[in-house]
Amino acid sequence: MSFGIPHVIIVGFPSSTSALPPATASLAGSRAQCVSSSRSRALTIRERPAYEAAVSARQRQTTEAFKQSYARRAGIEGTLSQGVRIGDLRRTRYIGLPKTRLLHLLIATALNMVRIAAWLTEAPLAQTRTPPFVALGKAAACY
């Protein structure tokens, strides 16, 4: 096994990459049983602090407190998405922060008006999108 030069991955944690040379992998004779690609495979090994940080982050994601805070984030993301659809929130039409801030306030006001109108008309909330494959399965189950 040859070990690569330590490098820094995107998140900034140092890591090391190791890979089997193509000649060694083909000599093993079992490459076709392991992978279907002809490209070489590499294994990135994080240093201990980075590995422990990733493990603790995965464990934290299973807690109830994380799920509640993530649900709050999902609500905020939904509001931003609605702002993008209603008022093209991703782009500003004006130069300068005061005019951009005014546009954001107008979009927020429009969002509130749309939500009040939906509440007064008792419009049902949007359901989570059903993937096409699931919809196909439900349709096939009816026959």
Side-chain angles (χ1 to χ4, degrees), residues 89-100:
L89 195 57
R90 286 197 182 107
R91 299 198 182 267
T92 183
R93 298 167 194 252
Y94 306 105
I95 296 174
L97 290 177
K99 290 181 182 177
T100 302

Side-chain angles (χ1 to χ4, degrees), residues 72-139:
R72 188 173 359 158
R73 177 183 174 181
I76 293 168
E77 292 287 341
T79 300
L80 289 174
S81 173
Q82 194 175 12
V84 167
R85 285 180 281 139
I86 287 178
D88 198 21
L89 195 57
R90 286 197 182 107
R91 299 198 182 267
T92 183
R93 298 167 194 252
Y94 306 105
I95 296 174
L97 290 177
K99 290 181 182 177
T100 302
R101 177 174 165 72
L102 178 62
L103 178 65
H104 288 174
L105 291 173
L106 291 172
I107 291 172
T109 303
L111 278 173
N112 287 336
M113 295 296 187
V114 167
R115 289 179 173 187
I116 289 171
W119 180 70
L120 289 174
T121 60
E122 297 180 2
L125 297 174
Q127 298 296 314
T128 303
R129 185 184 71 83
T130 303
F133 188 70
V134 173
L136 181 64
K138 287 180 181 178

Side-chain angles (χ1 to χ4, degrees), residues 7 11 13 15 23 29 38 45 50 66 68 72 78 105 110 116 120 125 130 133:
H7 62 282
V11 289
F13 290 111
S15 64
S38 61
I45 302 170
F66 178 84
Q68 288 176 354
R72 188 173 359 158
L105 291 173
I116 289 171
L120 289 174
L125 297 174
T130 303
F133 188 70

Side-chain angles (χ1 to χ4, degrees), residues 2 5 8 12 15-16 19 30 34 36 46 48 50 53 68 71 73 75 78-79 81 87 89 102 107-108 124 139:
S2 65
I5 299 170
V8 178
S15 64
S16 178
S30 60
C34 298
S36 60
R46 295 182 179 145
R48 184 176 285 285
Q68 288 176 354
R73 177 183 174 181
T79 300
S81 173
L89 195 57
L102 178 62
I107 291 172

Side-chain angles (χ1 to χ4, degrees), residues 18-41:
S18 60
L20 283 174
T24 307
S26 64
L27 290 176
S30 60
R31 178 180 175 84
Q33 295 174 350
C34 298
V35 294
S36 60
S37 175
S38 61
R39 297 181 307 162
S40 63
R41 300 289 188 208

